[in-house]
């Protein structure tokens, strides 16, 4: 048995998500190869080759893969996945886009968002916004699965796998890249941050939302948000934490002015330590918080910033 | 241009599910059901395309139990022109749903297919991508803005890090994200009128789906509850506890 992992990279660097997916693949007990596709990917391939437990890094370096669009990526993966029993990618926006397309082209189902591996063919995943955990067995010849990266620890980077160019070029007449509007983030990335400070509707405005920046800077934290805060335009789309946003599990999650709807909890309730700051002592967020502070965030946040 | 929209009947998002005592599945008896919220966004987007004169006909499709016709009626009340119901009491995985949808795409030849990005019961986030693969179409997943012209659709997608815009050749598959639009509510007179609109209901056996049996649901459990609920009285106490008790600062 062997596993192929679709490597994610951005701005010429490996994203942290891949290190967690490799950990999941190693838990399968199979050989692990990585696929790096893009244009000008030498540095990414070299970084991928350092991940512990990797047998080989396969590369496809061509303009058609430049933005890792789903259509050419899926065609490429279909062309090189035949020898594998498992195909994994992070359950990130890129993995979610590409992987089901490959599964369907191969005529096999996909299991999304696995959080535990019971056996090479048996997996756990949350359903209904994390209200239930399903155990599924997968009997397909190719087991396609996206991995919830927060559920697996990152592997170390002391390896030196072989790098092999595939030389596969596909064509793509279906989609073309037009442009990116990427948020300029200061501070760590939400998915891999050790501390996250998240704001909700309670912040009241985009201007007020910036109150969180001071605390975040002192803690070296990433900023997150509830759906209500994103919908209201206080925070960027990709900061949404929850069932239909990002799923995070940092050491410390500080929820500020967030009520704690189940859809939000789905994205953060596996954090190691949860702090909730809310003026409504009945807010459901307190039910999952290790440390709840009932109070007006506009008093609490400046006080907290000054004491850190 | 004809637009096909996917409508899935799911548990209402406000309702908390329970796991069956025998762990065979969740218990949905007497549970309030509704149209999947991302499908509401899909229907709304189709309506706006029609209002702008881009779409000429909206066909709503649901695969599911007889009761899924309730959600199709809602789509019709909102302004869909007709509906197709493929009746199946069995639960299908996303690949099977995509296979059925691919049959309907072959039959209806839509210029655009709009599905939700994710069903809030399975949380799969797969069907649109799979349908695009099976029909050889391009895909614009997690859409927050669409601009349709004669030959292509420009779609702005919500991705990690921000927004990405793609151009897709038509026909194409779109999956909706939360910020694409704010769905309207059906008005009472339209709900009455929708009762006269046609729903073409057929059994799943008529579409020639060969179930693979590749996936088996072994067990469903309630996750371990988190021990929360402790309060601190002040910011000083909070900082002290985070430093000395939780040791995260
Ligand atoms: C299909 C679907 C998908 C969804 N996906 C997500 C998701 O991924 N992530 C997500 O977060 N939500 C999601 N939601 C939305 C979710 O149901 C809630 O509506 C949302 O999480 C509420 O955000 P909030 O807690 O910021 O706002 P509210 O529920 O309005 O809570 C605001 C809180 O701020 C407190 N507050 C107000 N002023 C102050 C003050 N001065 N000081 C202290 N506290 C104050 C209030 O007491 C209140 O508890 C989804 C919903 C649907 C239907
Ligand atoms: N049984 C179904 N009937 C109609 N549309 C469906 C069905 N299942 C999934 N879909 C569509 O696919 C989207 C994504 O579902 P999923 O991939 O299962 O998370 C939904 O929002 C629907 O638009």
């Amino acid at each position: 048995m062997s596993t192929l992992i679709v490597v994610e990279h951005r701005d010429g660097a490996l994203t942290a998500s891949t290190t967690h997916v490799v950990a999941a693949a190693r838990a399968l007990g199979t050989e692990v190869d990585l696929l790096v596709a893009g244009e000008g990917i030498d540095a990414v391939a070299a970084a991928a080759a350092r991940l512990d437990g990797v047998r080989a890094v396969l590369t496809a370096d061509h303009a058609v893969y430049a933005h890792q669009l789903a259509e050419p990526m899926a065609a490429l993966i279909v062309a090189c996945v035949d020898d594998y029993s498992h195909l994994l990618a992070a359950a990130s926006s890129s993995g979610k886009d590409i992987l089901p397309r490959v599964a369907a082209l191969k005529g096999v189902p996909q299991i999304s968002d696995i959080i535990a591996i019971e056996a090479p063919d048996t997996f756990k995943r949350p359903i209904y916004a994390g209200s239930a955990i399903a155990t599924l067995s997968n009997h397909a010849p190719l087991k396609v699965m996206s991995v919830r990266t927060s559920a697996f620890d990152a592997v170390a980077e002391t390896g030196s796998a072989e790098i092999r160019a595939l030389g596969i070029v596909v064509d793509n007449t279906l989609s073309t890249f037009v442009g990116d509007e990427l948020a300029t983030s200061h501070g760590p990335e939400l998915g891999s941050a050790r501390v996250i400070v998240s704001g909700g509707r309670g912040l009241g405005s985009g201007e007020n939302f910036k109150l969180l920046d001071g605390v975040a800077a002192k803690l070296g934290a990433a900023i997150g948000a509830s759906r209500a805060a994103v919908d209201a335009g206080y925070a960027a789309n990709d900061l949404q934490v929850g069932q239909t946003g990002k799923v995070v599990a940092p050491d410390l999650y500080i929820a500020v002015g967030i009520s704690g709807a189940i859809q939000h909890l789905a994205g953060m309730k596996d954090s190691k330590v949860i702090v909730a700051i809310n003026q409504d002592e009945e807010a459901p967020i307190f039910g999952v918080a290790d440390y709840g502070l009932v109070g007006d965030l506009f008093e609490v946040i400046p006080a907290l910033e000054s004491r850190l | 241009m004809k637009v096909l929209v996917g409508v899935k009947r799911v548990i209402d998002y406000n309702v908390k599910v329970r796991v069956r005592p025998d762990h065979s599945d969740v218990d949905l008896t007497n549970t309030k059901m509704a149209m999947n919220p991302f499908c509401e966004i899909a229907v709304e987007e189709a309506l706006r395309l029609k209002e702008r004169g881009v779409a000429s006909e909206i066909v709503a499709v649901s695969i599911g139990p007889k009761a899924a016709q309730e959600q199709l009626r809602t789509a019709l009340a909102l302004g869909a022109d007709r509906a197709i119901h493929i009746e199946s009491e069995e639960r299908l995985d996303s690949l099977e749903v995509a296979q059925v949808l691919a049959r309907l795409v072959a039959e209806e030849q839509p210029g655009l297919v709009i599905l939700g990005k994710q069903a809030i019961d399975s949380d799969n986030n797969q069907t649109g991508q799979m349908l695009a693969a099976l029909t050889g179409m391009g895909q614009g997943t997690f859409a927050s803005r669409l601009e349709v012209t004669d030959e292509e659709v420009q779609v702005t997608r919500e991705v990690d890090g921000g927004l990405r815009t793609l151009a897709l050749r038509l026909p194409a598959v779109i999956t909706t994200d939360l910020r694409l639009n704010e769905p309207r509510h059906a008005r009472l007179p339209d709900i009455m009128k929708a009762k006269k609109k046609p729903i073409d209901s057929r059994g799943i056996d008529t579409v020639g789906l060969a179930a693979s049996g590749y996936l088996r649901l072994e067990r469903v459990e309630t996750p371990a509850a988190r021990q929360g609920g402790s309060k601190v009285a002040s910011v000083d106490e909070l900082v002290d506890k985070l430093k000395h008790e939780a040791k995260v600062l």
Side-chain angles (χ1 to χ4, degrees), chain A residues 17 124 130 147 155 166 169 184 198 229 236 239 269 271 274:
Chain A
S17 61
K124 288 194 182 209
V147 175
V155 294
L166 287 172
V169 178
T184 43
S198 255
L239 301 189
K269 70 177 158 56
S271 303
I274 296 175

Side-chain angles (χ1 to χ4, degrees), chain A residues 97 137 139 179 244 271 291 307, chain B residues 141 165 214 218 226 236 245:
Chain A
D97 189 38
S137 59
H139 306 274
T244 61
S271 303
Y291 303 104
R307 284 189 189 46
Chain B
T141 52
T165 303
Y214 281 146
E218 303 288 348
R226 197 183 166 97
D236 285 328
E245 192 176 84

Side-chain angles (χ1 to χ4, degrees), chain A residues 17-284:
Chain A
S17 61
T18 302
T19 61
H20 300 266
V21 181
V22 172
R26 291 183 63 182
L28 288 168
T30 69
E31 298 280 3
V32 181
D33 291 347
L34 306 187
L35 174 65
V36 180
E39 188 181 26
I41 48 169
D42 290 350
V44 177
R50 285 194 290 275
L51 299 181
D52 272 10
V54 173
R55 178 177 62 181
V57 175
L58 315 178
T59 62
D61 195 335
H62 191 272
V64 74
Y65 308 121
H67 301 281
Q68 296 167 76
L69 304 186
E71 297 82 2
M73 286 295 291
L76 167 68
I77 296 163
V78 165
C80 62
V81 80
D82 273 352
D83 296 335
Y84 295 89
S85 56
H86 295 73
L87 174 68
L88 304 185
S92 59
S93 62
S94 165
K96 286 172 179 170
D97 189 38
I98 296 167
L99 220 52
R101 190 171 178 101
V102 179
L105 291 174
K106 295 295 293 178
V108 296
Q110 172 179 313
I111 301 183
S112 297
D113 257 311
I114 60 165
I115 56 166
I117 292 163
E118 306 284 289
D121 66 353
T122 311
F123 313 94
K124 288 194 182 209
R125 66 176 301 257
I127 51 176
Y128 293 88
S131 306
I133 306 293
T135 304
L136 292 143
S137 59
N138 187 344
H139 306 274
L142 176 67
K143 298 175 202 344
V144 179
M145 294 175 297
S146 67
V147 175
R148 178 167 289 192
T149 52
S150 62
F152 296 89
D153 290 333
V155 294
E157 304 182 23
T158 58
S160 56
E162 167 212 358
I163 300 176
R164 196 163 71 232
L166 287 172
I168 301 174
V169 178
V170 300
D171 61 41
N172 175 25
T173 55
L174 296 171
S175 58
T176 41
F177 173 80
V178 175
D180 277 339
E181 278 169 68
L182 298 183
T184 43
S185 69
H186 24 264
E189 205 216 331
L190 194 51
S192 50
R194 208 185 59 80
V195 182
I196 294 173
V197 181
S198 255
R201 201 197 314 263
L203 269 299
S205 72
E207 200 48 48
N208 293 343
F209 201 87
K210 296 200 186 90
L211 264 182
L212 302 181
D213 288 346
V215 175
K218 286 209 163 156
L219 292 171
I223 298 279
S226 71
R227 174 190 174 181
V230 174
D231 282 2
Y234 308 168
N237 297 335
D238 66 311
L239 301 189
Q240 181 181 312
V241 171
Q243 178 191 15
T244 61
K246 289 212 171 80
V247 178
V248 297
D251 290 344
L252 175 59
Y253 187 92
I254 305 179
V256 183
I258 292 177
S259 61
I262 182 169
Q263 291 86 5
H264 189 77
L265 302 184
M268 46 64 79
K269 70 177 158 56
D270 292 326
S271 303
K272 289 207 183 69
V273 175
I274 296 175
V275 171
I277 298 164
N278 196 304
Q279 66 187 9
D280 171 12
E281 62 177 309
E282 301 291 317

Side-chain angles (χ1 to χ4, degrees), chain B residues 5-9 36-40 42 61-64 86 92-94 97-98 101 114-130 175-176:
Chain B
V5 288
V7 168
K8 187 176 183 192
R9 175 182 171 87
N36 183 44
F38 288 99
C39 300
E40 295 181 322
V61 179
S62 191
I63 299 142
I86 304 296
L92 304 177
D93 64 39
S94 291
V97 170
L101 291 174
I114 313 181
L115 305 184
K117 83 161 175 183
Q118 164 176 349
I120 62 161
D121 51 2
S122 69
D123 283 332
N124 269 348
N125 197 328
Q126 301 173 356
T127 308
Q129 299 86 316
M130 289 178 159
T175 75
T176 62

